[in-house]
Structures are given as C-alpha cells and as structure tokens.
Amino acid sequence: MLRLLRLLLLLLLLPPPGSPEPPGLARLSPGAPPQAPDLLYADGLRAYAAGAWAPAVALLREALRSQAALGRARRDCGARCAAEPGAALPAVLLDAPDSGPGPAQGAWERLLLRAALRRAECLTQCGVQRLGPGGAARLRVGSALRDAFRRREPYNYLQRAYYQLKKLDLAAAAAHTFFVANPTHLQMREDMAKYRRMSRVRPQSFRDLETPPYWAAYDDGLELLGRQEAGLALPRLEEALQESLAQVESCRAGCEGPEEQQREEEEEEGTGGQGGLYETIAGHWIRVLQCRQRCVGDTATRPGRSFPVPDFLPSQLRRLHEAHAQVGNLSQAMENVLSVLLFYPEDEAAKKALNQYQAQLGEPRPGLGPREDIRQFILRSLGEKRQLYYAMEHLGTSFKDPDSWTPAAVIPEALREKLREDQEKRPWDHEPPQPKPLTHWKDVLLLEGVTLTQDARQLNGSERAVLDGLLTPAECGLLLQLAKDAAEAGARSGYRGRRSPHTPHERFEGLTVLKAAQLARAGAVGSQGAKLLLEVSERVRTLTQAYFSPERPLHLSFTHLVCRSAIEGEQEQRMDLSHPVHADNCVLDPDTGECWREPPAYTYRDYSGLLYLNDDFHGGDLFFTEPNALTVTAQVRPRCGRLVAFSSGGENPHGVWAVTRGRRCALALWHTWAPEHREQEWTEAKELLKEPEEEEEEEEEEEEETPSRDPSPEPPSRRLQRVQDRVGKPPRVREEL
C-alpha cells in the first residue's frame, strides 16, 4: 500500500503532457524530505519493466535525489557536530603529554562514552532536521544498491526511458553520464553512436551529470598550463585542490554510516566477529579509519577508471607552486612547495625550487610556511595511520596503506619487512627498472644515424624505447610501394584486404616476408622491395637485441607489413580504436590488472617492435596504458623510420587510436628467446630471393666444407616447389599491432 501511495504521489508530481522538461535531472519536489533510495529504485525498475516510462523516470530520479541528499546530510551533520562547543575529547584521551597522575580508574571510560553519546545525540537530531522523521536510520542503503549507484546504473535505465518518451536530449545526457563511468559497455557505446547521429540531439546534450566539479577544474588547469597560460590556470588549479579536499571530507563522512554498510568488508579487512564491548568498538573504529584512508584514492580515481591518479594531492601542489612562480607570486609558490615537502621531505626537485624561491625573495620570511589545510590533512592522516598500524601489529587486523608518502617511522619495525614483500608482489606498483644510460646505448649502437629518442623513463613505463633513423625516406617509399603493389596483385595476407578484425571502420592489409618473396619471384612486385623487407626486419632484430637483451640472443618469430586504411564516410563521431588495448604474449584482464600467459596468447613472444613507414594520415598513434587498459601512460606519433620497441608482457599494454583519414603502414615484428619458435618463413623467403649465382656458389661451398654429407642434395627447383606448396596453404590468422 505504501509503495502504491508513493507511485501515485510521484505521478502527481510529473509535469503535464506537453510541458517542458526541467533541465538535467533536477529534483522533482523541492523541500520535500527524501524517501528511501532502495525502495524508490526497486519501484523504478518495476515500472521500467512494465513499460511505464514516465513513472520509471520519476522514481529513478527521486532515487538519485534521495541518495545524494543522504550523502550531503551525513557530511554536513558530521561537520556541524564536530564543530560544536565541547565536542572535542579531553586531552587525557588524545595521547597528550603526561602532566601528572591520570584520572581515577574508570574516569577515562566515562569521559569517552559520554562524548560518544553527545556526538550521537547531535548527529541524530541533525539527521531528523535534514532528512525528516527517522533521520538517516530510515534511509539506510545496502551494499548492492551502493554498488549500483557507484556504477551509475540508474542512468542506463533513464536513458532508455527518456528515449521512449521522445526526450532525446535528456536521453543523451543520461547515456553519456553512464558511459563515462562504464567506457567498456558495448551496448552503451552503440547507443551513444546512435544519439550522435540523431539530428535532434544537440552536441551540448552530451554532458556528465555526476562527475564531481574538481575534475573539470583539474583538467582545465592542466590544459592552460600546457599552453603556458599560468595566470589563467591558477584559479582553476586552486579550485581543483579545494574541491578535491572537500570531496575527501564528503567521502570521510560517508565512512561513518550504519555499521551494517561495512559488514561485507569485515572478512576482507580482518576486523569482524570480535565479541565484547571494547572489541566491537575497536573493530568498528578500525573499519571507519580504513574507509577514511581510502578516500584520497577514491577522490583521485576518475569515473570509469580502476586506478587513481598517482600522487593526486602532491601533484596538484607541484603544479600550483610552478604556476605561481611563473607569474611572480613567490610567496604563494613557497607556500605550495613547502606543502609538497610535507609529503616528501627528501624531494630533490621541491628542495631545489624552495632554494630558488628563497634566493629570489632575498630576505627571510619567517611567517611563510606550508598551507594550513594541507598541514592539517597530513597530521590527521598520520594519526589515523598510526592507529591502523597499531591494530595491525597487536590486534591482527589488516591495512593496505594507499599512500606512497607515508614515512617509514610511522610503520612499526616488526611490520616493515612484511609490507615490503607485499608491495613487491604488485607488478604495476613497484618502481620500474632503471633504463640503460645513454653511454651504454652509444656503445651498442650498431647503425649510423640511429638515435634514441625516448627511453623507458620518458615513456613512463618499463622496457620501452623509441628510436629514430632506422629507415631513410627512400627506403620508406620503397616499402610503401611494395605494400601497394602486393595489394594490387591481390596478395593481401591474413585478412585479404577486408575490413579490419578490430574495427568495422578501417580496412586491413598485411604482407608476410614469405608472400613478398613469392610475389617478387613471380614478378608481381619488385625484388628490391622484398629484399629490403628482409633486411630491415633483421636490422630491427639486431637493434632490439642490442638494447634489451645483449647477453641473450633474440630470434624473429613473425614479421608482418601492415596497412590500416580509414573507410571514407564512416569516420564521423567514431568512438572505437583501430586496435583495442592488449598485451602481446598474455591475455590482459583489465579488472584485476593481471595478464595470463596462456593460449590463445602467443606466449613465446618476448619483445615487440613497430617500425613506421609514413605519417600522412590522421589518428593512428600508438599508446601505452596501465594494466587497467584505461589510463594512458605514453603516446607515440608514427613517422618514417621510427621504431617503437618494448617487451611483450603485461607490463606494456598498448593499443592504437583510430585511423580517421588516410592509410597507416608499419612493419610489425615480434622476437623470441626460444629458437624453436624462430620464423621459418623468413629463412625460406631468404632462399627464394637469392640470385641463381648465389645459390650455385653456396651449394659449392657446402659441398667443399661438408664432404661427408649426402652427395645428392635437394635440387633448387624442388626446394622452390616445396616453399610454394607451403605458401599455398591457408595462412594462420595472427593478432597484429
């Protein structure tokens, strides 16, 4: 009966037919207390399933409003009650220095519990004022619903309901909001493409209705800094920092919700089922502290991403002090660089900048110090970490410290070794191996004119390098002509010039070394280009081995001349990639960051390379990501003679941005340490491309050097027929870069 009354009430609140829809997803009933989000959401899904689109929209919007109101009320009430006179605990309960005999036995217990009761009374009264009768207890939300709202699932239903109601702008806004947090959702990707093709949907309709405002300020500030507009960037960077800190506070307030909200974490965190009064109090408090410590990481994680922006708060302070210095605000620059040093006291770049600012100011400024908001943040965080590490050492709880700046002195000595071992087990968190110095590279450089453009550190990863000068413009032209001639001869290898297996918006053509040799032997392509293909592949192998594996031989395992061409008329509003993110020798699982080295992956591949032939196209850049397949860590623009070489494992997930105009050609190569996986076709292609005189001379040398061998070797004509028979077999489909 209650649900029926709620449904009737919301129907009355709907605007009459033909009336304009309020902008965005605004609240339906200003001033009305929020209803239980879980019941509203369940009723909204029932209405959606029944095809009652208008009631479904009303119920789902009200569920979103109630959920947001509950979060705001918890944050505001927590801040208000903490600021009330007498809310602070007595100093004797806060580890103050001992100033004499402590209180009588049991007095600390009365003080603590009385303070807790007063805080509970304040929070209850505030909740009733903000949320209506029953307060927050009436609006408790289970973990399943919290997860659904975190994934923005209501917007998925809303966009379809709005579409049925012919409200396309609102449908596009809801779809975009869901897609931002779920970028791998294939159905929504298709829906978004349809909305963009609709003439009645305005471009400004594609807006995110949920992302916190600090991300927009953060991105604007970075963009303005990149354009050397520090004066314009400063207000946006400061806004981003202030809003980030406010979001952390909002998250921390949510950590103090009802205890049943955190029950699913008890087994994972090792804090549940401890029994008595003090054990229960301690267990709940530990869960609150653990939740609070995760808030910075949650704030630093963009919607739809699995991992936070590294060093989110310190990196904002670094950009702030640099921007202030650029516009001459040296006092503010010092304030922010001193704040960086609170996180990392031994940061050489920050110390150098501090000395520079002090020298420019010319006189001591005793009043200058770090930002007060950052100082208070760090003091509070360190106090919580000490309590968590104490519980970890003495109560057997667990704690995964999310911060790399935590001083070692905070961690009990008995825990440091174990924590160090645990840290080393996470492959994407440890410091990448030190790249070889440039002097070493000069020692092993084997080709004149080849230069190391970027090493692993500059590419923000491990075992990556960009080298230029491997091909001259004439050689690039010769290989491009080879690819063109082979395509015109109808000899496209692998995918036969059809649409790419990775995207319907491009054509894909490939040529193996053996096919090139066969076509050259038949006169369909020039033999000079086919020979250059062999020579260049060996050139790349030599350099890759010299740079990455000088003490262990590498063998070519597969060589492929690949061209991707944009299909005209199919590039507008395109949203997919030319090649999705993947690793070359393992199956990447972005959700866990694991990469499984098992079939169908080519597990024997150890190093990969891309040698580019041209740059006269749009898009098509190679990019590397973190193991989540979302966070881009580096990007490389193709150009003639540029080689990108890297190890083939899960440490180097990579993909290719869409080619939206023109034709992108590159030589893709994979190398292996395993001789049994050496590319046999390369050897056979070399045999095919030999001149008759070379073959006769080689046979004579073999007869002279190995007189004990069979005096009747296989004649060249029969060997050629065997190679041609092999070429005639259906090619094995391979994954390409």
Side-chain angles (χ1 to χ4, degrees), residues 388-399 415 418-419:
L388 286 166
Y389 281 121
Y390 180 91
M392 188 175 178
E393 182 180 16
H394 298 284
L395 301 181
T397 62
S398 62
F399 170 52
L415 296 177
K418 180 181 184 301
L419 293 175

Side-chain angles (χ1 to χ4, degrees), residues 350-362:
K351 290 195 291 186
K352 181 179 178 181
L354 178 62
N355 293 334
Q356 179 182 346
Y357 300 152
Q358 289 173 333
Q360 289 176 330
L361 284 171

Side-chain angles (χ1 to χ4, degrees), residues 441 450-454 465-470 543 641-645:
W441 172 242
V450 175
T451 58
L452 176 63
T453 305
Q454 290 178 287
V466 176
L467 301 104
D468 282 316
L470 270 79
L543 283 172
R642 170 166 288 176
L643 172 68
V644 185

Side-chain angles (χ1 to χ4, degrees), residues 405-536:
W405 55 265
T406 302
V410 173
I411 306 172
E413 189 173 351
L415 296 177
R416 291 177 193 172
E417 185 61 31
K418 180 181 184 301
L419 293 175
R420 189 179 299 111
E421 293 175 357
D422 292 343
Q423 184 74 11
E424 291 173 352
K425 292 178 182 177
R426 297 185 291 180
W428 58 86
D429 282 348
H430 67 263
E431 185 71 18
Q434 294 295 320
K436 300 176 181 66
L438 190 58
T439 54
H440 170 83
W441 172 242
K442 288 179 179 177
D443 291 339
V444 300
L445 190 60
L446 303 177
L447 293 175
E448 184 179 355
V450 175
T451 58
L452 176 63
T453 305
Q454 290 178 287
D455 60 16
R457 185 174 295 279
Q458 293 168 309
L459 291 169
N460 302 315
S462 170
E463 293 202 280
R464 305 172 183 171
V466 176
L467 301 104
D468 282 316
L470 270 79
L471 294 172
T472 65
E475 289 175 325
C476 288
L478 191 59
L479 291 175
L480 288 170
Q481 187 63 44
L482 173 66
K484 181 181 178 182
D485 292 344
E488 291 176 353
R492 302 178 181 90
S493 167
Y495 303 102
R496 304 184 181 276
R498 300 173 184 168
R499 292 186 182 240
S500 168
H502 309 298
T503 170
H505 305 295
E506 298 175 15
R507 295 195 180 278
F508 187 100
E509 299 166 353
L511 182 68
T512 65
V513 290
L514 185 56
K515 193 67 176 180
Q518 182 190 11
L519 289 171
R521 194 69 178 241
V525 301
S527 61
Q528 188 178 2
K531 289 180 178 179
L532 180 61
L533 183 63
L534 278 177
E535 178 192 337
V536 167

Side-chain angles (χ1 to χ4, degrees), residues 214-215 218-219 222 296-303 305-316 319 402-403 626 628 631:
Y214 63 87
W215 281 117
Y218 179 77
D219 292 335
L222 295 186
V296 174
D298 292 344
T299 301
T301 303
R302 291 181 183 271
R305 302 295 174 85
S306 301
F307 298 98
V309 174
D311 265 355
F312 189 52
L313 294 179
S315 67
Q316 293 188 63
R319 291 184 172 94
D403 300 315
E626 294 204 4
N628 61 7
T631 306

Side-chain angles (χ1 to χ4, degrees), residues 264-315:
E264 69 273 10
E265 300 173 3
E266 291 182 354
E267 291 184 4
E268 177 185 349
E269 304 290 356
T271 57
Q274 295 176 341
L277 172 64
Y278 294 108
E279 291 90 343
T280 302
I281 292 174
H284 191 105
W285 178 238
I286 290 167
R287 288 193 295 276
V288 170
L289 292 181
Q290 289 168 335
C291 176
R292 287 176 175 179
Q293 285 288 301
R294 290 193 295 267
C295 281
V296 174
D298 292 344
T299 301
T301 303
R302 291 181 183 271
R305 302 295 174 85
S306 301
F307 298 98
V309 174
D311 265 355
F312 189 52
L313 294 179
S315 67

